[in-house]
Every structure is written in C-alpha cells, then in structure tokens.
C-alpha cells in the first residue's frame, strides 16, 4: 500500500495568495467567516463534475458562515481542459458563488499535501484544520451518494460540536502534477 504525507488534524491554515478568475489576488487568511473550506478542484475531473452541484449548494447553504474557496492546481499545459479560460466557463456554468483560484506553480497544493480533486480542508475560527477529505462517498455519481460527509462535518461544526469524522479519504482524480512536482510516496510496511 502506498503512503503519502498529510496535514494532521489541528494544523494551522497555510496562508497563500492566488489569482482569481479576473486575475485579482485572493488571500486565504482574508476571509472573515467563522469557517473556511479550502477545496482542490479542477474542470475536467469526473469526480469534480459529479460533486460540483453539491459543493455549490453547500456554499450557498452556509454562505456567511463558511467561506468556500476552490483552487485549481492542475498542470493546464498538459491538461488544457483545466486552463484559466476553461475555469471561467466552468465556474459560470455551475454558478460558483465562491472564488476559484489558480495555483499555477502548484506550491499551494504541495504545501497542503493535496493529492486529489475534489479534496477539502475545513478550518475553524482559529484557522485550525478540523476536517480533511472527501465531499461525499460517491462523488462521481451523485445519484448514489449515501454519506454527505462534508455537509455532516459543517453542520456539526456550526452547532459547536466535534465533527463526526476528522479525516475521510478523498475520492477523485489525482492532481495533475508538473514534472518534478509529484508528492513523496512511500510503500507501507506490512
């Protein structure tokens, strides 16, 4: 089994400033909502496509309480479906009401140790990591979802409770790394 480094629960927000779809810089630490959901997403991944309606619905439902931020870290030179102009179309088509940022250097994805799209990191008022993982249990097919994991986590946190889970393996495509940017992988000892 392969092992990857991950941010442990309780980690502090890794601040970053990335351009939005109009080229304006957006700083992750600038959001004033009590909770912050940093999501690594892209345009072409079928798992993102299958869960984007739920993501947008959650961003609307929790507006003012949870700031949602989408980050595309894919190598769009090798995967042109993830290029900035396609990001604009994707965001408009799906009615994004949250910033969609471009991580062209992939430094932010590497700092977060993100591996997949979609992959979510939820931070609390103190900007400590409270949840890391999936949106739901079958992101590729919204008709078969039985566990809306992200929604359950956010509802618990907003009620002042501990989240029902702090980690749930992200299900999705791998981030499309530029050569030499791939994450460190180890083989687990049995």
């Amino acid at each position: 089994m392969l092992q990857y480094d991950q941010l442990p629960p309780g980690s502090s927000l890794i601040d970053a400033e990335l351009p939005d779809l109009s080229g304006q810089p957006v700083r992750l630490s600038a959001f004033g909502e009590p909770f912050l959901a940093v999501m690594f997403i892209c345009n072409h991944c079928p798992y993102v496509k299958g869960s984007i309606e739920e993501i947008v619905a959650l961003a609307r439902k929790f507006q003012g309480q949870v700031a949602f931020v989408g980050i595309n870290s894919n190598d769009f030179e090798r995967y042109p479906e993830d290029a900035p102009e396609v990001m604009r179309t994707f965001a408009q088509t799906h009615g994004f009401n949250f910033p969609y940022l471009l991580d062209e250097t992939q430094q932010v994805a590497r700092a977060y140790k993100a591996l997949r799209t979609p992959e979510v990191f939820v931070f609390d008022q103190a900007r400590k990591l409270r949840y890391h993982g999936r949106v739901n249990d079958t992101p590729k097919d919204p008709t078969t979802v039985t566990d809306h994991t992200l929604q359950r986590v956010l509802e618990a946190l907003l009620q002042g409770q501990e989240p029902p889970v702090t980690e749930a393996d992200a299900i999705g495509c791998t981030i499309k790394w530029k050569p030499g940017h791939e994450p460190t992988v180890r083989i687990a000892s049995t």
Side-chain angles (χ1 to χ4, degrees), residues 91-170:
Q92 289 170 350
T93 299
H94 295 287
F96 281 23
N97 64 336
F98 52 85
Y100 190 16
L101 311 179
L102 180 62
D103 178 22
E104 189 170 358
T105 66
Q106 302 185 319
Q107 289 179 354
V108 176
R110 288 172 56 86
Y112 275 81
K113 300 177 174 146
L115 297 172
R116 305 217 172 271
T117 58
E119 185 169 353
V120 184
F121 297 80
V122 176
F123 296 89
D124 65 14
Q125 299 93 327
R127 294 305 186 244
K128 299 294 183 185
L129 183 62
R130 299 298 298 278
Y131 171 73
H132 166 227
R134 67 191 189 195
V135 174
N136 60 50
D137 61 343
T138 58
K140 196 172 181 181
D141 184 0
T143 65
T144 62
V145 173
T146 60
D147 182 12
H148 297 275
T149 318
L150 179 58
Q151 179 176 332
R152 290 190 309 116
V153 164
L154 294 175
E155 286 172 346
L157 289 170
L158 287 166
Q159 293 171 11
Q161 302 170 358
E162 288 298 312
V165 295
T166 57
E167 295 178 298
D169 287 340

Side-chain angles (χ1 to χ4, degrees), residues 17-19 71-77 82 84 87 101-109 176-178 181:
E17 186 174 274
L18 295 169
I71 298 175
N72 176 7
S73 299
N74 279 357
D75 178 358
F76 63 83
E77 290 184 10
D82 289 320
M87 289 172 64
L101 311 179
L102 180 62
D103 178 22
E104 189 170 358
T105 66
Q106 302 185 319
Q107 289 179 354
V108 176
K176 305 310 180 205
W177 299 102
K178 295 179 180 184
H181 288 209

